[in-house]
Every structure is written in C-alpha cells, then in structure tokens.
Amino acid sequence: MSFQLFAKTNSTVEVFQGYPSFEEISSSKSGNDGTEGKVIQSLLSPCGRFMAKSYESKVVLLIGETWEITLVELPLKNVYDLKFSPSGNFLSTWERPLVDDTEHLNCKIWNLNESPLSTEPKYSYKASTQSSWTLQFSKLDDYAIKSFGKELRIIKLSGEDTFKFDKPFATLTPDQPFTTYQISPAEHPTICTFTKEKSGKPAQLTIWPITTGKITKQIVTKQFFKADSCHLKWSDLGNAILCLTTTDFDHSNKSYYGENNLYLLSFQGVNGALGGESVRVSLGKEGPIHDFNWSPTSRQFGVIYGFMPATITFFDLKGNAIHSLNEQRKNTLEFSPNGKYILVGGFGNLQGSVDILDRHDKFRCISKFSATNTSVCKWSPGGEFILTATTSPRLRVDNGLKIWHYSGTLVFVKEYKELLKVDWRTNCPFRIIKDGYVTNGNKLKDEELKQDPKIRKHQLEIHPVVTQFNLKNPNKSSTNLGAKKTTGAYKPPHARKATVVPGTTKTRAPQSTPTPPLQQSAASQTSPEEKKIRSLLKKLRAIESLKVKQTEGVKLENTQVTKIQSEPKILKELELLGWKGELDS
C-alpha cells in the first residue's frame, strides 16, 4: 500500500488509498444526518500519526490505519485553527476570541504523548488575531519559542514543567526590535531574526545560536536597505536560510507589489563554529521573485524571477549560479522529497503547464503535462507522484484533485462540487499499539515503511475514472505533452556527425531548426558544476593510467600512490554532483 490521500469538503473528510487502487477507505460525514455537525477545520500531523478535526463544540483527535480510533475529544468551542509541532508531539488550538471575555485564553497546547491523554491543556495563552498565533517548535520538539514584546523566550520541553516561560532556558533581545523570527529545522537549532528598515537605519538579518541564559553571540548577520517585510525559508539541514525581502512600494513604479531582493545566510559547524557567510543572491533581471525553494540535500536552491516570461536559475550554497533554464511562463518550483526531480509549473493566472526536470541528468526535462486551474501542488512523500488540485475559495468551479506520475501520466482524478483541502498522509515511523496509543521510540525498520512503488511509465495502472473524465471533458483532457528532445550543447557544422541518406553515397549534416543566438550562448555555456565534474573525471582518468602501470609492475612514487588512494573521495564528490555516467573517453 502506498501513501494515503486526504480530502476535505464542506460536508465530509475523506481518506483514499494511494496508487494503484485509490480506494476510499474512510469518509466521515457531517451536517443534517444526525452526526457530529460541520467540520470547521481538519489537519494531518507531519509525522502521519494523527488527524485533528474541530467542530463547533469539540476537537476530535484520531489515529489508526484509517483514522478509525478516537484518541481523545477535547471540550473546546469554535476552534478555527489547528497546528501540530514538527514531530507531532504537541497540538495547538486557536479559538475565536470572546467579545464579552477579554481575559479568555483562546490558545491552548496539548501534549499528545501522555497516556492516557488529558483533556486539560499543558499551556494556555491569548492571541487576538489568527496571524502568527502559534508557538514555534524545534524539529525534535525539544525547544519552544514565544515572543514577549521585544524579547524572545526559549524553553526546553522536558519533564513535567514543560511550558515555564517565566523561567526560560534562554532569552534573546536584539538591539533593534525584530519583526520576524524563525527557528531552524536542525537537530541543534538556531534562530533567525529580521528587523525591517526604519528611520534611515538599514534592515538586518541575523542568525543566533541557542545557548543558556541571555543570547548575545551572532553566528552571521547581514544589513541592507529596501526591506519592509520578509519571508524566511530554512534549508532542510538548518545550515542556511533564504530571506525574500519586499518593500511596501516600488519606487521605480514597475511593480504593484513592491521591490524584491533575495539574501542568503549560511554557516558551517554546530552553532556556526566553523564560520558563516552572507550574500545577496545576484539575479540579474528586474521584476518580482515568484518562487524559491531549497533542494532536500540543502546544497542547492532554485529561484523563479523577473517579469514574464520569467527566468529560472539554480544556485549553490554560496549563491553562485550553477544552471539556468530558458525563459518560461512559470511561477512555481518544487523539488521532489528525494531531490532527484524538480517540478516547474505555471499556476494561478498562468495556463497550468508543468515541466519535470531530472536533477541527476543536468536538469533535463523528462516530461510535460498541463494542470489547469491548479491551486494546490504537492509531491508524494516518496517522490513518485504529484498531487494537483483545484480548491475553494481560490476557485469555486472545476473543483477536484488529480494524481500524476512523474512521467507526466494522469493516473487518478476525482471531481468535487466544493473541495476545500487536500494533502498526502506521510508514513508514521512508529508502531500503533492495539489499545489505541502510539509508542514513542519503537521505530520501524526502513524496509517496513511504506514507499511509493518505483514503476516505469509503460507499467503504470491508469484508474478507470481517468478515461471517463477525458471522455466527459475532451477540452480538459490532460495527457502527457511529452518532453522536448534535448540536443545537448551547440556544435559548429564541422563538428557534427555526417548522416548517410539511403540510396545515395552523399552525406549531409542533420536538418535542425536554427537556434536563436541567445539560446546558443546559453546552451554552450558550461556551468561551474559541469566544470567541476570534468575536472574530477580528468583526475579519475589519470588514476586509471597509474593503476594500469601498477598492475604492470612499474614502481610508483609516493605521490602517485596517494593519488590512487584518493579515488573513493573523487567518486563520492562526483556522486554528490549528480554524475552517474562512465569515464569520458
């Protein structure tokens, strides 16, 4: 069984089996049939253990293979927002504030690892708005952060006294009041704060370590102008962060949304023990930044930027451009969870065209398809399938979900009158005990975890509903558009291989469409990454020659023996760079 699918409408919460059956395995109805009432909010935990659903008079927490077990019912009214901590150990709830009770603590936190689980919250506090109301937790749920005016307080979540913010483990009070902060997803977390430009003082971006007491050390910092707000995005390893800054107004009057800049801060070693760097990412084209995302390896990131058609460029950890694609009408970039594939799509007010690139094959486009009116796009946790959906209130027509194989083949589709939310259910790395409680540490072996089936395009099982959908909607038939044939780097006429025309003895150069000068220069340009691969391959060829001499009995010098011993290290570097071929001739 592959990963499950979760879909919420205004009256039901449905759970489907994944590829190939897509069988509906659970559906909790609400409304006028005498059941629990309308589901206000629903959410899956990042670890895949829990589903939380809020009703007008309670919050229900479910577990089990098909969410068949009710773990607890929390007596809460009008909960309009839910949030799980990264490891799924804590659930936070936000209730609509009471007009007649200004002292109402409308935010509550529940420890989900208690047995039995208490209906009393572990911590309560007040947040009048639904924006940024939740506490920030570290990746392992061992730290929590809360803002108290100009001060950040960090607590350690261990033992019974878990939420004692009056006795914090650490405090952070920057010289200038910060407007945004975010904890890193590292096992040894750090904190990034952003202070906006004000009264002639530049904006500032700083990474701080979490140390006992008052934090004063700065791992790395960057000051700059033209920044009224920002969006922070950590790499998966938590060793680098991207900051997209925006001004309230574009003084050049070229953009309604203000001016954008992208900054990169990175460091090496635990808490920056080996130093840090900060750079402004050089994009080289005017216009907005549409999207940016980290590779799961945390060694590269991609950016879509500029006025349409936009430019798509990939950068290394130092902010150097390693590869650029031709200008396209795209605004969405998503790496697959294993980092092998990259989805580049044009959604929103664009036509919905999608390209799938192979990162391990020099960003070659391997498939294309069209997913019009897409408002949600997510890779499956195993990196084999893609979920696209049209949801309300973004669009109130043509609501539904589609599942695509990365080869561009549509394998499942389901239409809804009103679809509000969709998501994948990740695999839970814990065993579920029969009495309904979940162990905390009895991890499954890797082979026991469910993974997406690794299948080729010709082996795909297409669900019958896809054929029905295409027949009913001939104008919306979303078949694989196919990938453009790659021609490789530009070659001058004298370097091209001659082809023999059948029935003649003459030869001619292959016919091809002339390449515009701009594309020729882009194709012939070698990226720093490719140069590095060529250099390493040259070293491997030299090692092969030395090994031949060694087998022939030739006595080698110490430096030559050392060079042979470096072969595993070179092969490892090539693997990290994505090289999977044989030695060049």
Side-chain angles (χ1 to χ4, degrees), residues 128-351:
S128 56
T129 64
Q130 201 172 338
S131 174
S132 303
W133 64 272
T134 183
L135 270 60
Q136 289 192 20
F137 291 86
S138 59
K139 175 184 178 180
L140 302 179
D141 289 352
D142 49 353
Y143 291 97
I145 303 178
K146 190 175 188 300
S147 174
F148 290 82
K150 299 179 180 179
E151 181 181 67
L152 279 181
R153 296 181 188 175
I154 302 103
I155 58 171
K156 262 193 169 182
L157 299 174
S158 58
E160 293 297 325
D161 299 330
T162 49
F163 290 94
K164 297 292 184 181
F165 281 104
D166 54 339
K167 296 179 181 178
F169 171 78
T171 59
L172 175 59
T173 312
D175 295 334
Q176 299 181 42
F178 55 87
T179 55
T180 307
Y181 66 94
Q182 193 172 103
I183 190 170
S184 74
E187 292 187 6
H188 300 281
T190 56
I191 302 171
C192 182
T193 60
F194 169 78
T195 302
K196 73 175 191 175
E197 177 184 353
K198 189 176 181 181
S199 303
K201 293 183 179 180
Q204 183 167 303
L205 193 67
T206 306
I207 298 179
W208 312 79
I210 296 180
T211 54
T212 309
K214 188 174 182 179
I215 301 173
T216 56
K217 177 187 174 183
Q218 298 180 357
I219 296 176
V220 61
T221 188
K222 179 75 174 177
Q223 291 186 335
F224 42 83
F225 288 95
K226 294 185 178 181
D228 297 317
S229 60
C230 80
H231 175 58
L232 301 173
K233 192 171 288 189
W234 280 101
S235 64
D236 285 1
L237 292 180
N239 62 337
I241 192 169
L242 290 167
C243 174
L244 172 63
T245 63
T246 307
T247 59
D248 293 335
F249 303 98
D250 182 359
H251 297 289
S252 64
N253 292 323
K254 293 182 179 180
S255 174
Y256 173 79
Y257 299 100
E259 296 181 61
N260 289 161
N261 282 300
L262 190 64
Y263 296 90
L264 168 65
L265 273 67
S266 61
F267 61 88
Q268 296 180 350
V270 177
N271 288 339
L274 301 179
E277 295 184 39
S278 61
V279 297
R280 176 185 172 186
V281 180
S282 179
L283 300 179
K285 181 181 179 180
E286 290 186 349
I289 296 175
H290 306 284
D291 197 11
F292 63 102
N293 256 318
W294 283 100
S295 164
T297 64
S298 297
R299 293 192 297 269
Q300 298 166 358
F301 60 92
V303 188
I304 302 180
Y305 59 94
F307 297 111
M308 289 294 170
T311 299
I312 305 166
T313 304
F314 298 89
F315 299 85
D316 63 17
L317 199 53
K318 293 186 177 181
N320 300 316
I322 60 173
H323 189 83
S324 286
L325 305 177
N326 292 334
E327 291 185 342
Q328 305 174 39
R329 291 190 168 276
K330 302 290 172 55
N331 59 5
T332 302
L333 187 150
E334 294 286 345
F335 285 86
S336 66
N338 56 14
K340 177 173 172 58
Y341 303 114
I342 306 169
L343 180 149
V344 181
F347 303 133
N349 59 348
L350 300 179
Q351 293 181 349

Side-chain angles (χ1 to χ4, degrees), residues 521-581:
S521 61
S524 60
Q525 184 179 6
T526 304
S527 70
E529 193 176 39
E530 291 171 334
K531 289 180 180 178
K532 181 67 174 176
I533 290 175
R534 290 181 182 179
S535 174
L536 292 172
L537 289 175
K538 186 177 180 181
K539 291 181 181 179
L540 275 185
R541 286 194 294 270
I543 289 173
E544 287 297 316
S545 299
L546 291 174
K547 287 165 71 176
V548 170
K549 290 182 179 179
Q550 197 176 42
T551 56
E552 293 175 348
V554 178
K555 187 176 181 181
L556 302 180
E557 298 179 3
N558 291 337
T559 54
Q560 292 175 317
V561 174
T562 303
K563 186 178 288 187
I564 292 176
Q565 293 171 348
S566 68
E567 184 179 16
K569 182 180 178 182
I570 294 174
L571 289 172
K572 184 65 176 176
E573 286 187 61
L574 283 168
E575 182 183 347
L576 294 174
L577 289 167
W579 177 81
K580 303 185 77 173

